[in-house]
Amino acid sequence: MADCVKKISLGLVLLCLAGPVVAGDAVLSLPQYVSLLGRVATSMMAVKAAVSLDSIAPGLGDTLAAEIIVIERFANKYSALNEFKTKAHWAETDVVKHDLTNNRDLNNALDGVMEILKHLEGNPSVDNSTIALRDSLHLYRLHYSYEAGMKKLQRYGKKYGPQSARLNPVDGMLNIFLLQYLPGFRPDSTGPGPLEFISAYSSSYVTAYNAETEKLFKDIGIVSALEIGVRYYFLGEGWGEEGFWKGIAKPGFATAGLLVTGEEAGFFKSPLKGKESYGLFLSWGGLKAGYIVGDNSRILLSRQFQVVPYLF
Amino acid sequence: MSLAPISQKWPADRAILFVHGIGNAKPGDCDALINLLKEGLGAEAGKYAYYPLYYDEINDWFKEKANFSEAIKALKNAIKPNLGNDNISDTIAEYSGDIIWPVLSYAAYDTIQTFYAAQLQRMIMDGADSGVSAAKQKISIICHSMGCFHTYEMLHKASDNPLLNLTPDKLCFANVIFMASPVQLIRTVAQKSKALVSDKLAVLKSSGLFCPSKKTIFWKYYSTKNWVSITGDYDPVGGYLMKKKLDWAYMDVLTQKSIVDKQDMLNINTAADLASVLGQALISGGPPNITVNNPHSWENYVKNHQEEIKQWLIA
């Protein structure tokens, strides 16, 4: 009799749980999440009370109790976040997404719950509702994993995709095969490292200078230069989107490094011929500026493009 | 970014993912193979959702980013200036790049794996959206050549990384059918060049090649219920060379169902075949029609095993 009551009460609890959660719904709001995790914790306590878990596997009752504590902890955290959101009118579901896609404690606890529910699937009084609850939990978590994966792909697309800055073959091989092991350059669980080494020849700098003190240039001219530096990709959302103003406000990358120009100015001149001048350059997306120090000091301006496709 | 997993409604409770090998695979290129499989499935064909995984665009990202064609061209010119037209550089870059990027560049490898995982996640969500609970879905994979490497790595990544929500207790594939798998070949080569290869590759695991699994409180779940390896005895990618098995190149996973096709290099294998070809030549007045078979053809593997594949899929 007692066993029968336990089964019926377990069935009712799980049925109530499964009801509001519909498989296939992709996104939960923060209050819905708070509610879902709270209900999972509460119901699993009911499961623990109704079923002799230790007779299924020794120590299973304690395992479930630990999992319930973890889930409750996250439910309380989200609840506090939701409270803050209501007061501050600040929408914040990223914390939930982050926890569900990165926090191993929460994921392990939910996995444990799913496993126990799967084991209870054979119980005739709880069968359909257990499947529904387990599936719902699985699908919500899957959705966030998918979303995280797509964001990771977007970040890879920003650094390596068709809109990314091109490298000459030497830099390409250096970055992709050798520097991939260095922090900042190497990928991590969220996608590519933001850094990229560059050593490029640019023949598109324009400069203006004092004709009286300058022997080789007249007012405005083209300067060829060697650039050695590091490119930083802005991999966050909203950066690197197409469009002129977007490209200026939030470009895909910025670059900084050493600039070397040669004695002779002009298009396609060697920066290493004659007496070299050194300085620094900085780019913000496609816009680039440099400053040469010393006797020949001057400001250089340029725009990022490859004069010779694939090479410079 | 045009790269997006395919999404579709499921006609029933099952789906098949097709993972192609090297070459310039574009959307639509798997259609002929899928039609061949449908032909074999007959009346059952309508019960499946078919998902081709076109990941070659990612290889192209890296090829273009690093100007790989130019590097190959420079290398070719350095070796032999008069080798021929430059189209061959593009071809070399295309084919060799498909292997080099995912094996030597962790970024390229991880991008493909992320895309692969997203496609699997999308498939499960599509099934659920079509009314099939995740626990009841039957998903199979048919992969070929380099696609076998990506699949092998994906199975391990899914098993090792619970945050993908694809661990074997949540997703157990009904079938994973490897055709002409270079997985052991890559393992052997990668072991010899460890300094260049990321130690995160599953093929490099010290325990050798195996079907990944997850042990939970109650059960041990394997990634698939049916791991099949099909190759041919003239297919070097699949670990055979001139009918001789190469132990260092043949994928031999303990739990796998192994099938090795008897292959022929030419369309003449018996005296009767020869008589037929010569007879045709006499009638037509043209040269004898002697053709060379492609031992690595994905279509041929599917065509030769239509009946078995059907049995595995409908089980």
Side-chain angles (χ1 to χ4, degrees):
Chain A
M1 180 65 184
D3 191 43
C4 184
V5 170
K6 277 183 183 177
K7 280 185 179 177
I8 291 168
S9 60
L10 175 63
L12 285 172
V13 165
L14 292 173
L15 202 63
C16 292
L17 269 173
V21 183
V22 182
D25 279 0
V27 182
L28 282 177
S29 66
L30 187 55
Q32 284 173 314
Y33 242 111
V34 174
S35 168
L36 173 66
L37 287 190
R39 286 202 306 273
V40 169
T42 311
S43 68
M44 293 316 286
M45 276 192 271
V47 169
K48 191 172 173 295
V51 180
S52 172
L53 293 169
D54 286 338
S55 68
I56 298 171
L60 185 59
D62 291 342
T63 305
L64 179 59
E67 283 159 356
I68 291 169
I69 290 170
V70 172
I71 293 169
E72 269 185 329
R73 184 156 56 83
F74 279 93
N76 291 336
K77 176 181 165 184
Y78 300 153
S79 180
L81 190 71
N82 191 40
E83 185 81 5
F84 178 62
K85 181 200 143 195
T86 311
K87 284 179 183 164
H89 303 287
W90 177 49
E92 178 56 276
T93 54
D94 283 350
V95 177
V96 181
K97 288 181 189 176
H98 181 269
D99 284 343
L100 277 171
T101 50
N102 290 294
N103 193 298
R104 284 181 189 262
D105 286 347
L106 177 60
N107 280 280
N108 287 339
L110 291 174
D111 275 353
V113 167
M114 282 176 65
E115 177 73 0
I116 290 168
L117 290 178
K118 187 172 186 175
H119 192 78
L120 294 173
E121 199 177 315
N123 187 323
S125 58
V126 296
D127 192 26
N128 290 336
S129 53
T130 53
I131 289 177
L133 179 62
R134 201 187 63 226
D135 272 10
S136 301
L137 273 174
H138 181 196
L139 286 171
Y140 287 127
R141 297 167 66 200
L142 195 68
H143 175 80
Y144 282 120
S145 297
Y146 175 77
E147 221 178 51
M150 293 308 292
K151 280 184 182 163
K152 187 174 173 182
L153 267 182
Q154 277 179 354
R155 287 193 281 270
Y156 271 121
K158 281 180 182 173
K159 185 166 179 183
Y160 298 105
Q163 303 302 322
S164 68
R166 291 290 175 256
L167 298 169
N168 60 53
V170 175
D171 284 358
M173 300 300 142
L174 195 64
N175 277 288
I176 292 173
F177 296 134
L178 295 179
L179 296 173
Q180 62 172 337
Y181 301 107
L182 291 182
F185 292 86
R186 71 178 170 217
D188 62 18
S189 62
T190 61
L195 299 180
E196 188 169 84
F197 172 78
I198 62 141
S199 62
Y201 170 72
S202 172
S203 58
S204 58
Y205 276 104
V206 176
T207 188
Y209 35 107
N210 187 342
E212 286 177 13
T213 57
E214 179 52 56
K215 294 171 186 170
L216 299 172
F217 301 106
K218 287 183 180 174
D219 297 324
I220 292 179
I222 301 280
V223 180
S224 300
L226 176 68
E227 302 164 341
I228 299 170
V230 175
R231 183 174 288 132
Y232 181 91
Y233 281 89
F234 299 110
L235 300 171
E237 275 184 82
W239 291 81
E241 289 176 8
E242 284 185 60
F244 180 75
W245 292 112
K246 282 181 183 174
I248 289 175
K250 284 185 157 187
F253 54 83
T255 318
L258 180 71
L259 194 64
V260 184
T261 60
E263 191 170 344
E264 198 179 355
F267 194 61
F268 273 130
K269 299 294 180 187
S270 169
L272 302 175
K273 196 175 170 187
K275 189 189 172 194
E276 295 117 7
S277 301
Y278 296 91
L280 297 170
F281 77 96
L282 188 70
S283 87
W284 182 252
L287 302 175
K288 204 157 49 174
Y291 182 71
I292 293 292
V293 294
D295 299 342
N296 226 2
S297 67
R298 56 185 178 268
I299 291 171
L300 310 171
L301 297 174
S302 182
R303 178 150 173 76
Q304 177 91 28
F305 66 95
Q306 285 187 308
V307 176
V308 179
Y310 308 123
L311 290 174
F312 307 128
Chain B
M1 189 178 69
S2 64
L3 204 62
I6 293 170
S7 180
Q8 60 184 297
K9 198 169 167 52
W10 287 24
D13 63 346
R14 48 200 68 199
I16 309 170
L17 180 70
F18 297 85
V19 190
H20 65 77
I22 60 170
N24 193 17
K26 301 176 296 298
D29 284 1
C30 286
D31 289 356
L33 184 97
I34 292 171
N35 287 335
L36 200 60
L37 188 80
K38 283 181 179 173
E39 199 180 280
L41 286 169
E44 294 287 317
K47 293 181 179 172
Y48 294 83
Y50 301 89
Y51 288 83
L53 184 79
Y54 294 112
Y55 60 86
D56 195 49
E57 186 183 336
I58 297 170
N59 288 322
D60 290 343
W61 284 5
F62 286 82
K63 188 182 78 176
E64 298 300 325
K65 171 88 183 175
N67 289 308
F68 194 50
S69 300
E70 292 302 311
I72 294 283
K73 203 180 284 178
L75 188 66
K76 191 196 76 175
N77 290 339
I79 296 167
K80 195 173 180 185
N82 300 316
L83 196 65
N85 71 56
D86 278 340
N87 288 340
I88 198 165
S89 302
D90 294 331
T91 308
I92 294 169
E94 181 68 49
Y95 280 80
S96 57
D98 289 357
I99 300 165
I100 287 170
W101 301 126
V103 175
L104 296 184
S105 163
Y106 184 71
Y109 164 88
D110 194 40
T111 312
I112 294 175
Q113 289 290 305
T114 305
F115 181 53
Y116 200 144
Q119 182 61 75
L120 290 174
Q121 290 160 341
R122 186 68 261 169
M123 287 170 79
I124 297 169
M125 291 192 285
D126 283 353
D129 289 344
S130 307
V132 187
S133 83
K136 305 282 183 197
Q137 294 175 5
K138 290 183 177 173
I139 299 177
S140 296
I141 299 175
I142 300 178
C143 50
H144 177 241
S145 190
M146 198 61 189
C148 298
F149 167 75
H150 293 301
T151 299
Y152 183 87
E153 294 292 321
M154 187 68 250
L155 294 180
H156 280 263
K157 196 170 264 270
S159 175
D160 295 344
N161 184 0
L163 300 177
L164 290 175
N165 280 300
L166 296 171
T167 43
D169 54 324
K170 298 194 190 91
L171 173 63
C172 175
F173 292 98
N175 304 279
V176 180
I177 305 170
F178 294 87
M179 295 181 169
S181 166
V183 169
Q184 178 61 49
L185 179 67
I186 292 172
R187 175 178 164 81
T188 304
V189 175
Q191 279 178 323
K192 303 272 182 205
S193 10
K194 268 188 179 165
L196 297 172
V197 182
S198 165
D199 58 2
K200 290 179 183 167
L201 298 190
V203 293
L204 282 175
K205 285 183 179 175
S206 57
S207 41
L209 301 181
F210 61 94
C211 175
S213 60
K214 182 181 175 184
K215 196 171 181 325
T216 64
I217 304 167
F218 305 112
W219 296 285
K220 185 173 185 181
Y221 299 89
Y222 284 91
S223 285
T224 175
K225 293 171 186 155
N226 190 31
W227 179 301
V228 182
S229 165
I230 302 175
T231 189
D233 59 8
Y234 266 108
D235 192 339
V237 180
Y240 272 79
L241 191 63
M242 307 301 278
K243 297 198 176 287
K244 188 175 181 302
K245 183 181 169 189
L246 308 171
D247 289 333
W248 55 271
Y250 178 72
M251 182 181 79
D252 202 357
V253 170
L254 191 63
T255 50
Q256 82 181 19
K257 202 173 275 164
S258 298
I259 297 170
V260 181
D261 289 354
K262 297 263 175 276
Q263 294 178 318
D264 300 303
M265 284 304 283
L266 303 173
N267 60 336
I268 301 169
N269 299 295
T270 61
D273 290 344
L274 181 62
S276 169
V277 167
L278 292 177
Q280 289 293 328
L282 281 172
I283 293 165
S284 66
N289 180 26
I290 301 171
T291 55
V292 178
N293 299 322
N294 175 6
H296 191 57
S297 158
W298 196 9
E299 281 79 6
N300 284 346
Y301 281 121
V302 170
K303 202 187 290 179
N304 293 339
H305 295 280
Q306 272 181 332
E307 192 50 42
E308 291 146 296
I309 293 170
K310 181 182 176 181
Q311 294 308 319
W312 294 326
L313 291 175
I314 64 175

